[in-house]
């Protein structure tokens, strides 16, 4: 029920971070193999279970992305732990909510929202002022859903 | 950036509701054809643009669902208006948030959340008390995301 990035725990006695990540991705995404060059940032979660989340990002061609989406639907995890895969809209529509602002209003797991915003900023995927506007829009009180 | 059901506007001069719906679904979902027997409810939206949303639901086998998911990834709309397709978790995890409650905490377009809750209830897809608990859980103030 939450949006997040694929990943998992790595047993550091047996695996490097990248080997562990590629093992997990292999179950769901198939063809991509990430390396140290794709490392972006790390984040220490708060709360009783302190977890360090290491975040990797890779630029794909549209064709590569589509191949991953197709392989994800066919993967063994699909429908169990993973309920689907969605693209992130990088645009903002004229109404100032459509696209990225609405997407950021969804519910994210753990540090996923922080990781997404960090990647969008550091990889220059969204103009800085558009990103700031989108973040600001999701912090306004939302209209309540109409339930009759 | 919002969760919703596939659908669209129907020009009633030329199309029945079901023909119009099947035309739209044909662009994205491929194989399913809905009929009057699949009609569930209608809903008049509020606001300046008053729209009547007619909602149809069809029970699928797991195999049929998977076929639709595969065809959706291959469809022409994919990546443009539609950013992906996700399954709805019908379970609630022991922490009382994982699964359906978290899913309901996401952002929905128009009447989609109402339609989903109505379908889950009327089709007995989730035990009534679990559904009530999930709805109640999403109405509590949420913990704010931790942004460092």
């Amino acid at each position: 029920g939450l949006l997040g990035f694929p990943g998992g725990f790595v047993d550091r006695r047996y695996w490097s971070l990248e080997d562990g990540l590629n093992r997990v991705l292999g179950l769901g995404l198939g063809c991509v193999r990430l390396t140290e060059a794709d490392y972006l940032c790390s984040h220490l979660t708060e709360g009783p279970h302190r977890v360090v989340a290491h975040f990797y990002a890779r630029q794909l061609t549209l064709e590569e992305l589509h191949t991953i989406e197709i392989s994800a639907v066919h993967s063994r995890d699909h429908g169990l732990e993973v309920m689907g895969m969605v693209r992130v809209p990088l645009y903002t529509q004229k109404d100032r909510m459509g696209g990225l602002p609405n997407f950021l209003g969804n519910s994210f797991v753990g540090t996923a929202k922080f990781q997404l915003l960090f990647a969008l900023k550091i990889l220059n995927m969204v103009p800085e002022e558009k990103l700031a506007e989108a973040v600001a829009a999701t912090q306004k009180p939302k209209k309540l859903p109409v339930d009759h």
Side-chain angles (χ1 to χ4, degrees), chain A residues 2 31 52 57 76 81-82 86 110 114-115 126 130 146 148:
Chain A
L2 295 170
C31 46
V52 182
R76 227 194 284 174
E81 211 181 323
V82 176
V86 295
F114 174 83
Q115 292 168 326
V126 177
K130 288 282 167 201
V146 183
H148 297 277

Side-chain angles (χ1 to χ4, degrees), chain A residues 12-81:
Chain A
R12 293 284 281 143
R13 288 172 298 176
Y14 306 112
W15 304 94
S16 73
L17 284 175
E18 290 78 19
D19 285 345
L21 178 57
N22 285 315
R23 270 184 88 219
V24 175
L25 294 185
L27 297 175
L29 301 185
C31 46
V32 187
R33 289 195 64 79
L34 293 162
T35 70
E36 274 190 56
D38 301 311
Y39 171 77
L40 215 60
C41 62
S42 297
H43 189 263
L44 177 62
T45 63
E46 307 214 325
H49 302 289
R50 308 202 83 190
V51 173
V52 182
H54 304 287
F55 185 52
Y56 293 71
R58 164 78 62 86
Q59 190 173 349
L60 302 171
T61 64
L62 186 56
E63 203 182 341
E64 286 170 333
L65 174 61
H66 201 207
T67 304
I68 289 176
E69 288 173 327
I70 292 166
S71 119
V73 174
H74 288 282
S75 97
R76 227 194 284 174
D77 274 11
H78 179 77
L80 301 171
E81 211 181 323

Side-chain angles (χ1 to χ4, degrees), chain A residues 125-143:
Chain A
M125 295 174 75
V126 177
E128 199 135 346
E129 75 276 11
K130 288 282 167 201
L131 192 56
E133 279 173 26
V135 171
T138 60
Q139 285 163 349
K140 281 182 204 159
K142 276 190 284 188
K143 268 190 288 181

